[in-house]
Amino acid sequence: MGKTVNLAQYLFARLHQLGVRSVHGVPGDYTLRALDALKPAGLRWIGNCNELNAGYAADGYARVKGISALCTTYGVGELSAINAVAGSFAEYSPVVHVVGCAARKAYKSKAVIHHSLGDGNLRVFADMYKNVTVASASLFDPDTAPDLIDKTLEQCVKESRPVYVELPSDMVGAEVPESRLATPLDVHPPKNDGKLEEKVLDAVLDRIYTAKQPYILVDGLVAPDQIVEEVNEFVRVTGFPTFALTFGGGIVNSKLKNYHGVHASSYGSLDFTPYTDRADLALLFGPLLSDTNTQGWSAVPKKASTIAFRRNAIEIGESESHALHIKAFMKKLLVRLEPKRLPSDIPQALSLPRHSFRAEPAGLENEKPLAPINQDKFYRHISSFFRPHDIIVCANGTPLVGGRDFILPPKTKLINSSIFLSVGHMLPATQGAALAQKELGTGGRTIFFEGDGSFQATAQELSTIIRYKLDVYIFIINNDGYTFERLIHGLHEEYNDVAPWRYLQAPEMFGAPNDGSYDVETHDVGTWGELAKVLASEKFQNGRGLKMVNVRMAREDVTSNFRAALKLAGQQLMVDPGDEQ
Amino acid sequence: MGKTVNLAQYLFARLHQLGVRSVHGVPGDYTLRALDALKPAGLRWIGNCNELNAGYAADGYARVKGISALCTTYGVGELSAINAVAGSFAEYSPVVHVVGCAARKAYKSKAVIHHSLGDGNLRVFADMYKNVTVASASLFDPDTAPDLIDKTLEQCVKESRPVYVELPSDMVGAEVPESRLATPLDVHPPKNDGKLEEKVLDAVLDRIYTAKQPYILVDGLVAPDQIVEEVNEFVRVTGFPTFALTFGGGIVNSKLKNYHGVHASSYGSLDFTPYTDRADLALLFGPLLSDTNTQGWSAVPKKASTIAFRRNAIEIGESESHALHIKAFMKKLLVRLEPKRLPSDIPQALSLPRHSFRAEPAGLENEKPLAPINQDKFYRHISSFFRPHDIIVCANGTPLVGGRDFILPPKTKLINSSIFLSVGHMLPATQGAALAQKELGTGGRTIFFEGDGSFQATAQELSTIIRYKLDVYIFIINNDGYTFERLIHGLHEEYNDVAPWRYLQAPEMFGAPNDGSYDVETHDVGTWGELAKVLASEKFQNGRGLKMVNVRMAREDVTSNFRAALKLAGQQLMVDPGDEQ
């Protein structure tokens, strides 16, 4: 078969071709030999502290780079990671999960091997993974393995969702033709049916031109759908009032005058419903319409007046759905859009709220220095610290809610969770994102906001950030427990408490070097004055090393308008949690 | 229906009846209302830092108390915990996993709720759980719910394996008849068929009386099978040479002269194969014959000469298997056993190895004080520190292997893993075990041995130990990375490294109080002299609070005879990992 490479080399070469430069994971005996093939393929091993965290980290890396890889051992490793992969599946992060498993003979003999359930059914975990991946490659046959790898990786990119690769330890060394690697993988989106596309373009444009009170609603799948630029251009050209759902909070350039920020119905710090409720057209991009992301669907436009732009379908009104890929469609839409035919008499009162929001005392210097920091203003004030190209990550809980109030500079990226909302997800994801950012060399910093309860769930990945000398800001929103849960139910109950850690000692405990090779600063702030002082420091602004700030906030504080949503959520747990988050 | 209780109260009352006093978990909005019912039912909430750890902790609690409960939220919570529950399934720990999920209406409408995959299939996680539990109760109907709970909990105890309880948030308050609670659950083992039992007893006794070179091999399922006393009595009465597999290392009273310790074929520190290989009868109790637990099945007796005593079957030779429950069978066996008919001329040379092992300089004072601590002798030396009623926990990796050399006082309990071997399992399990021990009030201490790599996986549960002021010893076997993996493959590879934590700073970072309410001591030892000094301290021996010892060992050190097993494992990954661990 001519020149050959072994199967692990082949797999890793393909990952490298797709843009992967680092593989997250935890070693295990079934994976060890495969790991030897990483370095020769130009890939770096990032050893996380456990597999769940490695999965979260891979998710964060994928959200920045558009692809990532996770490698765990069979059984214990993959099952530990399955919640992270399920989250990537739910939120469209393309993660390739490589599972090193036993040699093929063990499968044939149904051996009672370690890391299995002991019943001889070695396929059980791969079967579970079918629920949270879009394709899988069970590499049991050297003849079909390369093709299986190719098809599976292509699927990962095309659907922007996780795939599963099962690599028996004795297949690592199987020789396969190297020549295949010369043909790049086909990750292009499918071509649209030209006739259908034109017809739908006509219909969409007609709705746009004849709208009386239109708005654009941008959600987070615009990023994996790779239409961030197109959507921004569409927002700019139309000038339509534009909002984001929480998940899409970082997509639209805040400098655009017609962008008004996050729409969280009456629970947002700004309430846009007087406009949106009366709109006759909602142009909805990249929607992921979970209860949480839409405040119990209260921010979802009526279907009859909606055109939804999804990855593989354009949906018009109540029932029309056309199988068209979004990327090509958006490009054509922008070409065909005639600005002069756009409705010109759109109510403009809307610019007011966001304007007033922006015009508020932006500077911390206008707050009383001794006044305590609160959730209502923290996220707006901290926005002045952000710079273009920064990646901003919000953990679940109060930062996810507060982050709706960010005013982001252009070319920043906001990472948050829309539906899966797994506690602890975002610290490892921040590690992955910071690494991806470093690899891309785009400049900018990685800035992370996380509550104390979340931090405890996956805290050890702080040591991974330190070990690989990544540049990360961590603002611990320290409100002494699960505040988000408290306000739903059990305000003073012990089950919403967490242990009182000394958070700022974490970098040292987790092995921060004291030889000058990596800079760590920690700060404790409870007042606006203390926060202002930290933010003003040039050294703090430089983005190098680890900067960790313990931001003390009141135990029951949350942005004002959202308090009602949490209260309602608590009441409705008895009836229907679907009505409200 | 007369007096009623709500469904959560009913469930928790049943758990209390079975002996549960604490419920491990992480709160989530879908579970919050159920948690209100804990205290009134006499149950304590133990809030772990994440759900995987909570699952491990529940596993440890179950291994001590024979039952435990875990409560997580839907989706993210249960999936995070699934690896722990799978481990409990594989190793027969009876854990009741209560999952708080969305109200029933969301299931009917297939709502896109938070913590789901977003596709409306809300059953997907419950379906996954079917693979790792023996029964499940989906509590969607108030009329059938109490009965479902009863049957599911009974199954948990009867099979000593995990079960799954799905509690929709709107079912928490469903009223059910209180009177049912007056009837205890039926957790008695099934009655044996008397005729069959007599026939099998005859056959077993015949094999015992006519054996020429018999031995007893005790494995870890003897504990969940609840025949620890019966097996010890059988060992005592027969006087047959007795060994344990690694998982069963703590079952037999070490004071019995015919007990020789752990049989790990030629890879154990003592090699019993000259006797076992020529034996004509092996009486195998509570077997879980994984590759790891048997050194690639090399410690498994030939089937033809084996009588295996399993929970629900007595297996004689190659093919005979009789459906009999072990507990009643063992009681009858002891009654019918006539000591005078036992073979009297059993080769006794066997007593030698264990004897010499014991006779070795037991005292640390005989080691050179400045000599480095090594794996070969550490586990024997530390044995002198153990006392009756101690619980001793060995994490996976080198402590699991080294722990084979323990010489345990009577009435100690050894907790280790036999097949699932999940990294990080044992620190949270130690938390659960220490709590269970405290609740039982049997005295004794909880003493835990764990490598540095494992510790990092679940380190935050140290804060749970501290938060609930549990009494625990932790010996960190610090050999700078994944030594176990290194010796299999990749001795000097970066992927077997871990971050250099400052372990002894962990208690303070994790919130150890400094108000005198909880005692913490930390020690760093690298030589026999340093270790001896720590162990000799009366304060250290008292077992109160947290005692943490960083035991520095060489990076590539492992018990001598086992090195060959790891080398072989590395070679055989290419061929068949089933042949050898």
Side-chain angles (χ1 to χ4, degrees):
Chain A
M1 60 171 100
K3 220 177 155 190
T4 62
V5 291
N6 75 40
L7 193 64
Q9 287 168 332
Y10 184 88
L11 171 64
F12 293 144
R14 282 305 199 194
L15 288 173
H16 191 275
Q17 288 177 353
L18 291 174
V20 174
R21 292 294 177 272
S22 298
V23 175
H24 289 86
V26 176
D29 59 344
Y30 297 135
T31 71
L32 294 173
R33 282 182 189 270
L35 300 185
D36 289 341
L38 286 172
K39 254 191 233 164
L43 300 179
R44 187 178 180 192
W45 174 251
I46 300 295
N48 292 92
C49 296
N50 66 45
E51 290 93 348
L52 178 56
N53 294 357
Y56 290 146
D59 178 88
Y61 184 97
R63 287 179 196 228
V64 174
K65 280 206 122 178
I67 182 83
S68 82
L70 165 68
C71 181
T72 70
T73 197
Y74 174 82
V76 290
E78 58 184 313
L79 263 201
S80 289
I82 197 169
N83 184 62
V85 178
S88 299
F89 180 79
E91 303 194 347
Y92 294 78
S93 276
V95 175
V96 179
H97 186 178
V98 180
V99 177
C101 52
R104 289 167 293 171
K105 196 174 152 190
Y107 282 78
K108 274 182 218 147
S109 65
K110 295 183 180 293
V112 181
I113 55 168
H114 61 290
H115 301 339
S116 79
L117 297 177
D119 56 5
N121 175 10
L122 301 187
R123 312 271 342 142
V124 60
F125 309 118
D127 285 343
M128 286 189 196
Y129 259 89
K130 288 194 176 134
N131 295 295
V132 295
T133 52
V134 290
S136 64
S138 297
L139 306 177
F140 285 75
D141 177 353
D143 290 338
T144 60
D147 196 54
L148 252 176
I149 288 174
D150 290 359
K151 290 215 165 68
T152 303
L153 298 186
E154 285 169 359
Q155 207 73 4
C156 179
V157 176
K158 283 182 180 171
E159 299 201 31
S160 193
R161 289 183 113 172
V163 296
Y164 180 86
V165 177
E166 213 178 342
L167 181 60
S169 63
D170 65 330
M171 282 289 290
V172 168
E175 295 295 324
V176 300
E178 187 188 32
S179 57
R180 287 185 63 102
L181 290 170
T183 311
L185 295 178
D186 174 14
V187 293
H188 295 98
K191 278 229 167 71
N192 285 337
D193 172 338
K195 221 165 134 185
L196 175 67
E197 193 170 55
E198 286 302 320
K199 197 189 96 181
V200 176
L201 278 166
D202 289 340
V204 168
L205 284 167
D206 183 59
R207 289 291 292 267
I208 290 173
Y209 296 148
T210 59
K212 292 203 163 46
Q213 188 158 327
Y215 70 101
I216 297 169
L217 188 57
V218 177
D219 202 6
L221 293 185
V222 162
D225 291 350
Q226 296 180 8
I227 52 167
V228 174
E229 277 179 37
E230 290 81 359
V231 166
N232 269 281
E233 181 64 5
F234 185 78
V235 171
R236 192 189 65 75
V237 172
T238 61
F240 287 175
T242 300
F243 316 98
L245 291 169
T246 306
F247 187 38
I251 303 287
V252 182
N253 180 351
S254 270
K255 295 275 175 200
L256 292 172
K257 288 227 171 79
N258 53 320
Y259 178 61
H260 301 274
V262 172
H263 175 40
S265 69
S266 61
Y267 306 113
S269 295
L270 297 175
D271 181 358
F272 305 111
T273 53
Y275 183 89
T276 55
D277 282 356
R278 280 193 298 258
D280 62 339
L281 177 63
L283 299 152
L284 176 60
F285 292 96
L288 204 169
L289 304 179
S290 72
D291 52 355
T292 330
N293 194 36
T294 62
Q295 284 58 66
W297 302 290
S298 62
V300 178
K302 288 185 290 279
K303 226 177 167 190
S305 53
T306 300
I307 301 178
F309 299 82
R310 298 180 184 273
R311 190 180 190 88
N312 292 304
I314 311 297
E315 295 168 2
I316 305 175
E318 301 271 13
S319 54
E320 264 186 68
S321 178
H322 304 285
L324 291 165
H325 193 273
I326 187 65
K327 180 90 180 171
F329 186 86
M330 281 305 294
K331 283 190 182 302
K332 288 227 171 113
L333 180 64
L334 288 170
V335 169
R336 284 202 40 192
L337 188 70
E338 297 170 70
K340 64 174 194 289
R341 295 184 62 187
L342 288 168
S344 55
D345 51 348
I346 297 168
Q348 288 301 322
L350 232 215
S351 60
L352 198 62
R354 178 69 166 189
H355 186 69
S356 72
F357 210 80
R358 274 179 174 149
E360 265 188 37
L364 273 165
E365 62 276 13
N366 294 312
E367 297 290 349
K368 286 184 189 141
L370 296 178
I373 297 167
N374 64 28
Q375 298 267 352
D376 251 339
K377 291 195 168 174
F378 174 75
Y379 297 93
R380 268 181 278 167
H381 281 322
I382 200 80
S383 297
S384 64
F385 179 69
F386 300 151
R387 295 181 194 157
H389 301 289
D390 283 350
I391 294 173
I392 295 136
V393 187
C394 285
N396 304 317
T398 50
L400 175 68
V401 175
R404 293 175 186 154
D405 296 345
F406 285 146
I407 297 173
L408 301 172
K411 296 181 195 297
T412 49
K413 184 175 178 72
L414 178 69
I415 294 177
N416 61 20
S417 181
S418 54
I419 179 166
F420 213 55
L421 303 166
S422 188
V423 64
H425 172 190
M426 289 298 173
L427 174 60
T430 295
Q431 177 262 296
L435 176 67
Q437 186 185 43
K438 196 173 182 177
E439 288 176 4
L440 289 172
T442 45
R445 306 161 304 173
T446 301
I447 304 168
F448 176 45
F449 299 88
E450 173 162 62
D452 48 332
S454 286
F455 182 78
Q456 296 194 0
T458 55
Q460 55 268 83
E461 295 317 310
L462 189 64
S463 86
T464 308
I465 288 171
I466 294 167
R467 178 180 176 192
Y468 295 102
K469 297 189 166 64
L470 298 174
D471 301 320
V472 172
Y473 291 82
I474 299 182
F475 290 87
I476 300 281
I477 309 303
N478 190 340
N479 44 23
D480 193 19
Y482 301 114
T483 294
F484 199 91
E485 311 289 347
R486 276 191 215 287
L487 295 171
I488 293 177
H489 186 80
L491 194 59
H492 303 295
E493 293 297 332
E494 194 191 344
Y495 52 67
N496 286 324
D497 295 343
V498 301
W501 291 15
R502 297 182 180 94
Y503 296 97
L504 297 183
Q505 294 184 14
E508 201 186 326
M509 197 281 270
F510 285 136
N514 39 26
D515 59 2
S517 65
Y518 180 70
D519 190 47
V520 173
E521 358 175 346
T522 63
H523 304 275
D524 185 69
V525 303
T527 64
W528 293 120
E530 287 165 350
L531 178 63
K533 201 178 150 198
V534 169
L535 297 181
S537 143
E538 270 186 41
K539 182 156 172 286
F540 186 79
Q541 292 170 14
N542 73 15
R544 283 195 293 277
L546 174 65
K547 326 271 191 191
M548 187 165 178
V549 187
N550 184 48
V551 186
R552 283 176 277 116
M553 294 208 203
R555 201 175 149 113
E556 297 161 22
D557 192 20
V558 70
T559 51
S560 303
N561 287 356
F562 195 64
R563 189 175 297 271
L566 292 173
K567 194 176 168 194
L568 199 60
Q571 289 161 356
Q572 299 202 341
L573 279 180
M574 295 296 282
V575 189
D576 175 18
D579 285 351
E580 194 53 61
Q581 67 163 280
Chain B
M1 60 172 99
K3 222 178 154 189
T4 62
V5 291
N6 74 40
L7 193 63
Q9 288 169 331
Y10 184 88
L11 171 63
F12 294 144
R14 282 306 199 193
L15 287 173
H16 191 275
Q17 288 177 354
L18 291 175
V20 173
R21 290 296 177 270
S22 297
V23 175
H24 289 85
V26 176
D29 58 344
Y30 297 135
T31 71
L32 293 173
R33 281 181 189 273
L35 300 185
D36 288 341
L38 286 172
K39 253 189 234 165
L43 300 180
R44 188 179 179 192
W45 174 250
I46 300 294
N48 292 92
C49 295
N50 66 44
E51 290 92 348
L52 178 56
N53 294 357
Y56 289 146
D59 178 88
Y61 184 97
R63 287 179 196 228
V64 175
K65 280 206 124 176
I67 182 84
S68 82
L70 164 69
C71 181
T72 71
T73 197
Y74 174 82
V76 290
E78 57 184 315
L79 264 201
S80 289
I82 198 170
N83 184 64
V85 178
S88 299
F89 180 80
E91 303 193 348
Y92 293 79
S93 276
V95 175
V96 179
H97 186 179
V98 180
V99 177
C101 51
R104 289 166 294 171
K105 197 174 152 189
Y107 283 79
K108 274 181 216 146
S109 65
K110 295 183 181 293
V112 181
I113 54 168
H114 62 288
H115 301 340
S116 79
L117 297 178
D119 56 4
N121 176 10
L122 302 187
R123 311 270 345 142
V124 59
F125 309 119
D127 286 343
M128 287 189 194
Y129 259 89
K130 289 195 174 131
N131 294 295
V132 295
T133 51
V134 290
S136 64
S138 297
L139 305 177
F140 285 75
D141 177 351
D143 291 339
T144 59
D147 196 54
L148 252 176
I149 288 173
D150 290 358
K151 291 213 164 66
T152 302
L153 298 186
E154 285 171 358
Q155 207 72 4
C156 179
V157 176
K158 283 182 180 171
E159 300 200 31
S160 192
R161 290 182 114 172
V163 296
Y164 181 85
V165 177
E166 212 177 344
L167 182 59
S169 63
D170 65 330
M171 283 288 291
V172 168
E175 294 294 325
V176 300
E178 188 188 32
S179 57
R180 287 185 63 101
L181 289 170
T183 311
L185 295 178
D186 174 16
V187 292
H188 296 99
K191 280 229 166 73
N192 286 337
D193 170 339
K195 221 165 137 183
L196 174 66
E197 193 170 56
E198 287 302 320
K199 196 190 95 182
V200 176
L201 278 166
D202 288 342
V204 167
L205 285 167
D206 183 59
R207 289 290 291 267
I208 289 172
Y209 296 149
T210 58
K212 292 203 162 47
Q213 187 159 328
Y215 70 102
I216 297 169
L217 188 58
V218 177
D219 202 6
L221 294 184
V222 162
D225 291 351
Q226 297 178 9
I227 52 167
V228 173
E229 277 179 37
E230 290 81 358
V231 166
N232 268 282
E233 181 64 5
F234 185 79
V235 170
R236 194 189 63 77
V237 173
T238 60
F240 287 174
T242 300
F243 316 100
L245 291 170
T246 306
F247 188 37
I251 303 287
V252 182
N253 181 353
S254 272
K255 297 273 175 199
L256 292 172
K257 287 225 171 82
N258 53 321
Y259 177 61
H260 301 274
V262 171
H263 174 39
S265 69
S266 60
Y267 307 113
S269 295
L270 297 175
D271 181 359
F272 305 111
T273 53
Y275 184 89
T276 56
D277 282 357
R278 281 193 300 258
D280 62 339
L281 177 62
L283 299 153
L284 176 60
F285 292 95
L288 203 168
L289 305 179
S290 72
D291 52 355
T292 331
N293 194 35
T294 62
Q295 284 57 66
W297 302 289
S298 62
V300 178
K302 287 184 292 277
K303 225 175 167 192
S305 53
T306 301
I307 301 178
F309 299 82
R310 298 180 185 272
R311 189 179 191 88
N312 291 304
I314 311 297
E315 296 168 1
I316 305 175
E318 301 271 13
S319 54
E320 263 186 70
S321 178
H322 305 285
L324 291 165
H325 193 274
I326 187 66
K327 180 89 180 173
F329 186 87
M330 281 305 294
K331 285 191 180 301
K332 290 230 171 111
L333 180 65
L334 289 170
V335 168
R336 284 202 41 192
L337 189 70
E338 297 171 68
K340 63 175 194 289
R341 293 184 62 189
L342 288 168
S344 55
D345 51 350
I346 298 168
Q348 288 301 323
L350 232 213
S351 60
L352 198 60
R354 179 68 168 189
H355 186 70
S356 72
F357 209 80
R358 273 178 173 150
E360 265 188 37
L364 273 165
E365 62 277 11
N366 294 312
E367 297 290 348
K368 286 183 189 145
L370 295 178
I373 296 167
N374 63 28
Q375 298 266 352
D376 250 341
K377 291 194 168 174
F378 174 74
Y379 298 93
R380 269 181 277 166
H381 281 322
I382 201 79
S383 298
S384 64
F385 179 69
F386 301 150
R387 296 182 194 156
H389 300 291
D390 283 350
I391 294 174
I392 295 136
V393 187
C394 285
N396 304 316
T398 50
L400 175 68
V401 175
R404 293 175 187 155
D405 295 346
F406 285 145
I407 298 173
L408 300 171
K411 297 183 195 297
T412 49
K413 183 172 179 72
L414 178 69
I415 293 178
N416 61 21
S417 181
S418 55
I419 178 166
F420 213 55
L421 303 166
S422 189
V423 64
H425 172 189
M426 289 298 173
L427 175 59
T430 295
Q431 178 262 295
L435 176 68
Q437 185 184 41
K438 196 173 181 176
E439 287 176 5
L440 289 172
T442 45
R445 305 161 305 171
T446 302
I447 304 169
F448 176 44
F449 299 89
E450 173 161 62
D452 48 332
S454 286
F455 181 78
Q456 295 194 1
T458 55
Q460 55 268 79
E461 295 318 310
L462 189 63
S463 87
T464 308
I465 288 171
I466 294 167
R467 179 180 176 192
Y468 295 102
K469 297 190 165 63
L470 298 173
D471 302 320
V472 172
Y473 290 83
I474 298 182
F475 290 88
I476 300 280
I477 309 303
N478 190 341
N479 45 22
D480 192 21
Y482 301 115
T483 295
F484 199 91
E485 310 288 347
R486 277 192 214 287
L487 295 172
I488 293 177
H489 186 80
L491 194 59
H492 302 294
E493 294 297 333
E494 196 192 343
Y495 52 68
N496 285 324
D497 295 343
V498 301
W501 290 15
R502 297 182 180 93
Y503 297 95
L504 297 183
Q505 293 184 14
E508 202 186 326
M509 197 281 269
F510 286 136
N514 39 27
D515 60 1
S517 65
Y518 180 69
D519 190 47
V520 173
E521 10 176 334
T522 62
H523 304 275
D524 185 71
V525 303
T527 64
W528 293 120
E530 288 165 348
L531 178 64
K533 202 177 150 197
V534 169
L535 297 182
S537 144
E538 269 186 41
K539 181 155 172 290
F540 186 80
Q541 292 169 14
N542 73 16
R544 282 195 293 278
L546 174 65
K547 326 270 190 192
M548 187 165 178
V549 187
N550 184 47
V551 186
R552 282 176 279 116
M553 294 208 202
R555 200 175 150 113
E556 298 161 21
D557 192 20
V558 70
T559 52
S560 303
N561 286 356
F562 195 63
R563 189 175 296 271
L566 292 174
K567 195 176 167 193
L568 200 59
Q571 289 161 357
Q572 298 202 343
L573 280 180
M574 296 295 282
V575 190
D576 175 19
D579 284 352
E580 193 53 62
Q581 66 163 285

